[in-house]
């Protein structure tokens, strides 16, 4: 477990080999489960299932962005516990109210960009409006953002899970993993395909509800027709 946690730290830095190499720590059966979960998220994670993704994504945002924000705001030495506390809060918020994660996930990068443009002395004046405007855009476009994020997470889990599941074919898998950028590009292509499917092909929650309601009305009409025919002895 300790080795797995250490491997996860590679995601805090630019380390493509470390990102891909985490598959070596997963047993074959875990790889199969991870790949299946990734496939589900890739095809349907942007809907009601996004709640499952929003929690971990919120935790990652808390770990990644807390230090960057406090550093830019010149808040002094960072309490080592603060990123963990923020990550825990965002994880809970993501499970309870997923649009909050899209608000933070879109708002913080745009806020940092606006603060960078404003300059060090006026960073807060740029960060505040950029964060609010970007967050509102992310919340308004929650369905689109959630579909893209779920597809990206699902694609990566699918790729890493497949490598772990096929780890018994050591030579082939090692040859693939030795080219981490090839694995990353493959995941990006899967993510692109999943995003297109979820946003352009898969029905929206509203459309799904309408389809279910229409099916229910058809069943009710059929039942009423059968009851009427039975009453009048129609065969």
């Amino acid at each position: 477990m300790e080795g797995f946690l250490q491997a996860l730290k590679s995601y805090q830095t630019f380390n493509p080999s470390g990102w891909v190499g985490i598959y070596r720590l997963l047993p074959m059966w875990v790889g199969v489960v991870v790949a299946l979960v990734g496939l589900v998220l890739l095809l349907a994670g942007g809907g009601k299932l996004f709640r499952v993704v929003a929690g971990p994504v919120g935790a990652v945002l808390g770990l990644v962005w807390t230090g960057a924000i406090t550093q830019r705001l010149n808040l002094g030495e960072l309490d080592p516990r603060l990123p963990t506390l923020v990550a825990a809060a965002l994880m809970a918020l993501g499970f309870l109210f997923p649009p909050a994660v899209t608000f933070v996930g879109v708002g913080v990068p745009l806020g940092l960009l606006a603060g960078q443009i404003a300059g060090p002395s006026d960073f807060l004046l740029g960060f505040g409006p950029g964060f609010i405007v970007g967050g509102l855009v992310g919340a308004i476009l929650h369905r689109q953002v959630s579909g893209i994020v779920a597809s990206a997470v699902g694609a990566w889990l699918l790729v890493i899970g497949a490598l772990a599941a096929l780890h018994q074919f050591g030579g082939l898998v090692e040859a693939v993993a030795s080219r981490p950028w090839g694995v990353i590009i493959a995941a990006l292509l899967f993510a692109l395909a999943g995003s297109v499917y979820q946003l352009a092909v898969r029905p929206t929650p509203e459309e799904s509800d309408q389809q279910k309601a229409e099916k229910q009305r058809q069943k009710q009409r059929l039942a009423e027709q059968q009851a009427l025919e039975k009453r009048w002895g129609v065969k």
Side-chain angles (χ1 to χ4, degrees), residues 149-214:
V149 172
S151 295
V153 174
W156 189 248
L157 291 179
L158 176 62
V159 170
I160 294 300
L163 290 175
L166 299 174
H167 191 45
Q168 56 181 326
F169 304 103
L172 176 61
V173 173
E174 285 294 337
V176 173
S178 65
R179 297 172 175 81
W181 279 110
V183 177
I184 292 172
I185 291 173
L188 288 174
L189 292 176
F190 280 127
L192 178 61
S195 299
V196 171
Y197 172 77
Q198 292 200 55
L199 299 181
V201 180
R202 192 168 181 268
T204 65
E206 293 78 11
E207 292 172 343
S208 296
D209 292 339
Q210 291 176 357
Q211 292 174 358
K212 290 179 181 178
E214 181 60 28

Side-chain angles (χ1 to χ4, degrees), residues 51-56 90-98 101:
R51 190 180 300 273
V52 178
V53 182
L90 287 178
M91 174 180 282
L93 190 59
F95 285 133
L96 295 174
F97 187 60
V101 171

